[in-house]
Amino acid sequence: MELLINGQKLEAGRLENRLLVYVLRDQLGLTGTRLGCGAGFCGSCTVWLDGVPVRSCVTPASEAAGRAITTIEGLAGTYPAAELHPVQQAFLEAQVPQCGWCMSGQIMTAAAFVNANPAPSDEEILTAMEKNLCRCGTYHRIKQAVRRAAELARAQA
Ligand code: FES
Ligand code: FES
């Protein structure tokens, strides 16, 4: 079956009884989406369905059929005002990643948040990001980068 991923229709094979993260990574080679806990707790597998973040490790692939899937590989293309999404730019500037494993999930979560709220308070940033875990403890830099991303988004609006 075809899935619409990052604006392209891709043949994903049979979707029944398969979780979206495995279809993306194993079937389609989109390994930017990371598998962490595999149980919906850590957020490292976050992608968007119709612009809304979901945890692909607990999302049946069949739920994604007929919807627009966005992964980290396609995020920059969602933001025509700049080469990168402001969240990507801000994470680079702040050198947020340590091991990097959680980062695509952090960025996909933060990008949806900044798109919806380009003038967030620090408390709103913490609330938006608190369910994305980082074993390396980069939380302080994540908060700084999301704040900076919101500034960039406002400047580019
Ligand atoms: S790998 Fe999906 S939430 Fe942890
Ligand atoms: S940067 Fe290592 S888990 Fe977050």
Side-chain angles (χ1 to χ4, degrees), residues 56-104:
S56 62
C57 73
V58 289
T59 301
S62 55
E63 265 184 32
R67 301 172 72 183
I69 304 163
T70 307
T71 69
I72 191 74
E73 289 90 347
L75 178 64
T78 66
Y79 211 80
E83 202 172 317
L84 293 175
H85 189 284
V87 168
Q88 292 173 299
Q89 196 176 328
F91 271 58
L92 272 176
E93 272 180 23
Q95 294 286 289
V96 176
Q98 200 159 311
C99 81
W101 194 259
C102 70
M103 282 295 144
S104 55

Side-chain angles (χ1 to χ4, degrees), residues 82 130 148:
E130 70 183 357
R148 171 73 178 140

Side-chain angles (χ1 to χ4, degrees), residues 33-154:
T33 299
R34 301 290 169 78
L35 182 62
C37 66
F41 296 122
C42 74
S44 67
C45 64
T46 302
V47 301
W48 295 352
L49 285 187
D50 295 330
V52 177
V54 298
R55 299 197 165 191
S56 62
C57 73
V58 289
T59 301
S62 55
E63 265 184 32
R67 301 172 72 183
I69 304 163
T70 307
T71 69
I72 191 74
E73 289 90 347
L75 178 64
T78 66
Y79 211 80
E83 202 172 317
L84 293 175
H85 189 284
V87 168
Q88 292 173 299
Q89 196 176 328
F91 271 58
L92 272 176
E93 272 180 23
Q95 294 286 289
V96 176
Q98 200 159 311
C99 81
W101 194 259
C102 70
M103 282 295 144
S104 55
Q106 304 280 3
I107 289 170
M108 294 305 289
T109 301
F113 170 66
V114 167
N115 286 349
N117 182 1
S121 65
D122 281 356
E123 213 169 316
E124 287 171 325
I125 293 172
L126 285 177
T127 301
M129 300 305 297
E130 70 183 357
K131 293 196 170 73
N132 280 72
L133 306 183
C134 174
R135 284 176 295 182
C136 299
T138 63
Y139 297 110
H140 184 63
R141 292 203 298 274
I142 289 171
K143 187 176 90 177
Q144 284 180 324
V146 176
R147 197 190 297 131
R148 171 73 178 140
E151 283 172 17
L152 292 169
R154 290 198 299 275

